[in-house]
Amino acid sequence: MTALRWRTAALADPTSARRALAVVLVIGAAIAFVLFRGQATLTHDDDFPLFRSLNGVRDVVDDNRYVLDPIRSSVASLVDVFNFAIASLGWPGIIGIAGALGLVFGGGWLAILAVTGFASLGILGLWEASMATLGLMLAAVMIAVAIGVPLGILAGRSRRASAVIAPVLDVMQIMPTFAYLTPMTLLFFIGAAPSTVATLIYAIPPAIRITALGIRGVPEATVEAATSLGATSRQVLLKVQLPLARRAIGLGINQTIMMALSMVVITAMIGAPGLGRNILSAVQKVDVGAAFDAGLAIVILAIILDRLTFAAGEWLDPRSHFTRAQTLRQRLVGWSGPAAILAAGLLAPFAVDATRFPTDITFSFRSAINQSVDWFTDSFSGITKGIKDVLTANILNPIETVLTESPWWLVVVVAMILAWYLSGRRASIIAGLCLSAIVLLGLWGHSMSTLANVLVATALTLAIGIAIGILTARSDRLRMVLRPILDAAQTMPAFVYLIPALALFDATRFTAIVAAVIYAVPPVIRLVEIGLRAVPLTIVEAATASGATERQLLWKVRLPLSQRALLLAANQGIVLVLAMVVVGALVGAGALGYDVITGLAQGKDFGKGLAAGVAIVLLGVMLDRITQGAGGRRRSTVARAG
Amino acid sequence: MTVAVEPHASESSAQPGMSDQPTIAVRNLWKVFGPAEARIARQSGPGPNAESVEQTVTKLGGTIAVQDVSFDVRPGEVFVVMGLSGSGKSTLVRCLTRLIEPTLGEIDLDGENIRKASQVRLRELRRQRFSMVFQNFGLLPHRRVLDNIAFGLELRGESKATRLARAQEMLGLVGLEGLADRYPEQLSGGQQQRVGLARALAGDPEVMLLDEPFSALDPLIRRDMQNEVIRLHDDLKKTMVFITHDLAEALKLGDHVMIMRAGKVVQIGRPEELVARPADAYVEDFVRDIPKSHVLTLRWVMRPATPDDPVDGPIFPSTAVIRNALHAAAGTEKPIRVIDDNRLVGVVDRASILETIAGADPG
Ligand SMILES: Nc1ncnc2c1ncn2[C@@H]1O[C@H](COP(=O)(O)OP(=O)(O)OP(=O)(O)O)[C@@H](O)[C@H]1O
Ligand SMILES: [Mg+2]
């Protein structure tokens, strides 16, 4: 009787039915864990047969060098061309060009930013390294734009092309940087060529996607009007769609440059010269100060390039010229400033040595930072060590134990049910397939360790991100303060985030988690804030009028109404965290990231590294699908993916 | 409910002596949006009946925007398409030059079957002979007003000097001198619409298709622009298909008016025919508030002359609207003599004039 009534009640109210289901699921999983603990755990074996046969893939590739070598050498020569151009301009030339472009696109302040920014790269003693990074990045961006913009135009104009391209981009967007490295060494060995190719693949999605968005955003009415006047398809493209999508294309290139910069630093792991190499060696030596200098140089480069390309996009938008000076005389005056700066830069080699940045003024934060890190560690190591130990012992280790000591099939089943519960049948099937594939790859144990790190880091990220997001949504002042910080954070390459984590917690498993949290929190804050602010004012007013307290307003109105934004934040957070946890292998996280690194370094572990790269992608796809939510949304406004 | 009037059945006598070849001839035109379209377009044979199309649409999903529409536009006339929002006017006019691909039916432009025309031929027609003014302007935001007007000429490959000179001329024609260097965003809605009109005129097309060109204008400018269209029509002898949802505008401008409702033709006729003989309650409802004396010509109220009628009454042509005869009628007891081609065709009594005015214009 009671049971019956309970059932009818549950049926009538779907949320309580779902809740009951969740409880049953948790209890069931717990019982299964206790019963089957330690069985079918798939212990790790470095000599798993598959790894050996993957080593054999290399021989197959070696037999086909006649295809790959021309690509390799042409990419390498493109990089050489850029390096040669940068070297022949010399430091005054580069600074002159940057200043002139700044003045043209954005005016005096941008010019000052560009000039002082580039100069400070030299003052930090990192001119050569910065220019190596710049050259590689420019080569990669050039290829990415040359391929990506036409593809984007195609996708923007043809539904069919878009249907083919969009799913590929979706997968690319969740691929962590590390996953690209091993295949590149397989195809192109190490050095500038594989680094450029990895960078361009990583950076191409926004060029395609934003270009397509721009083309599609051209008002139907203008295209139709042109057609009604007898425009050919080509005329519509050249005279209507491209001019109106110019700003979007500029934004796409801007995003591509930012992603390329982020990747080009990481390709130091496959032999790319430049700032990445400085960070890599500093991180390996736990020389936080040296890493800081190089990290700062990357950030400076990122900010200059971001602002310059963003301003260029605005400048290119024909609509921004409404109020511009029109007369020839005004135009001549307008161009004279940039011309003067450029001329000064280009003529400087006659007066000074342009090949080497002067060492008269140098400045480094290295020792200062190292001293403060030492001081900090001495004084607060108790606290940081405490935090680290408590979280490691009470959260990280238990989760890792549960995941690694459960029978693999139990994990698969639970993940599938969870995926079904959160995102539906398709997600459930994909999760099942991904995990099964990981079993077959022979990387179950390492994948579960990485997964444990990801779960902990995601939980921390969401807790911190949602809390700060709620606060910023409520206070305009906090928002004003945080906004430039978040902006800056979003333009910083992933590698840079290792540095503060390393300074705080030394090289341990926990450090990678901290780096991942720092890396993933800013976009989460932003998404949460946007979601909360989007809650219609009328609803809030209605609730207030019915006597809701601030607290009730948050829990009963704002949070439930911004559920979609929260889901999106969780999804973004988890994808970013995965990417960073893997990079965190450099500062002590083991497991899959470490497998990739050893695979890069040692020939005999190559197969394992390749398999680990695949496992990372599988984990990423699974986590992305599980958290995609029932809303059926598609990622269209990705802030950033590492 | 709806009475589809056989095209021109009622007026073949009203327009004797005009050229036989219509500029635009539309026969049994259908446009269906959505999944059902492909299936319906495949139907061959003597044209589908409404029921079978409706069944397919209900089954597969979609909207019937234009339903079995037929009409002729004669050379040099202003043909007005009138109907409420969503009745399919814009869709219909876009089908004429295949900006929207029709689902079924025939369209002949000057006797040429447009449904079979190649893309190249279509482009040629759009460049040289037909031009369109859009409800939503469709101006290019990144070009100055002058370049917008010259756009069609640019597409044809005219030299820069020629096209800018022509554009400048058009700018004067629509009364926008001095705004050549502005961008569309910097113009009011009415000014933007005039740019659209100038752009359409720049190519010197034989036929202009105007989709609610004046809906964005305030009443005063609207009246100016209507007179402008009448002038263009009289001076330049353009054939026009003019779309509106304003009955007064339709009656003022149209040589013929086609009333549409939910994709179907309800009635086609001269303005006074619509007012005097609405095809059904729907049209009647529409024309109820129209002062009949402003639209109806004397032809509609005259009676045959009898030998008893005085022969020295005021004389009016049969095409004069009743209102214009009011003054003369008020000054005399004698019936007005209606003349067509110097021939007496009837007389109008003062009483019938007063009745028309009183009947339709209470108060
Ligand atoms: N591209 C389209 N896809 C689907 N349905 C459409 C499309 N264009 C128009 N329709 C539908 O066809 C019908 C006719 O639309 P149309 O734009 O021709 O109306 P209209 O008479 O021009 O109205 P208005 O006076 O508001 O401009 C409407 O029901 C509309 O919803
Ligand atoms: Mg319309």
Side-chain angles (χ1 to χ4, degrees), chain A residues 414-434:
Chain A
V414 170
M416 286 182 72
I417 297 178
L418 187 70
W420 194 314
Y421 184 76
L422 287 176
S423 300
R425 201 176 59 170
R426 248 181 86 99
S428 169
I429 293 170
I430 291 175
L433 289 177
C434 288

Side-chain angles (χ1 to χ4, degrees), chain A residues 86 117-118 121 126-142 144-145 177 181 195-206 252-269 272-277 279 294-309 487-497 519 583 640-642:
Chain A
I86 291 172
F118 268 104
L121 296 177
L126 293 169
W127 183 261
E128 316 263 282
S130 303
M131 289 308 112
T133 294
L134 189 66
L136 207 63
M137 188 214 76
L138 287 178
V141 167
M142 192 173 130
V145 168
T177 45
L181 299 181
S195 305
T196 311
V197 177
T199 304
L200 92 89
I201 295 176
Y202 179 72
I204 209 170
I253 295 174
N254 166 279
Q255 290 290 304
T256 290
I257 287 179
M258 299 321 289
M259 289 187 67
L261 191 61
S262 175
M263 186 66 185
V264 92
V265 180
I266 288 173
T267 54
M269 310 209 38
L275 293 169
R277 204 174 267 184
I279 294 201
L296 185 64
I298 292 171
V299 172
I300 291 171
L301 211 49
I303 291 176
I304 299 173
L305 291 171
D306 183 41
R307 299 298 129 95
L308 266 185
T309 49
D487 273 345
Q490 299 230 18
T491 50
M492 274 198 259
F495 249 33
V496 173
Y497 289 85
Y519 178 61
V583 176
R640 173 189 64 185

Side-chain angles (χ1 to χ4, degrees), chain A residues 453 457 498 501 506 508-517 577 580-590:
Chain A
N453 286 356
L498 293 176
D506 222 350
T508 63
R509 207 162 36 130
F510 188 71
T511 313
I513 292 181
V514 173
V517 172
V577 159
M580 198 63 195
V581 160
V582 180
V583 176
L586 289 171
V587 291

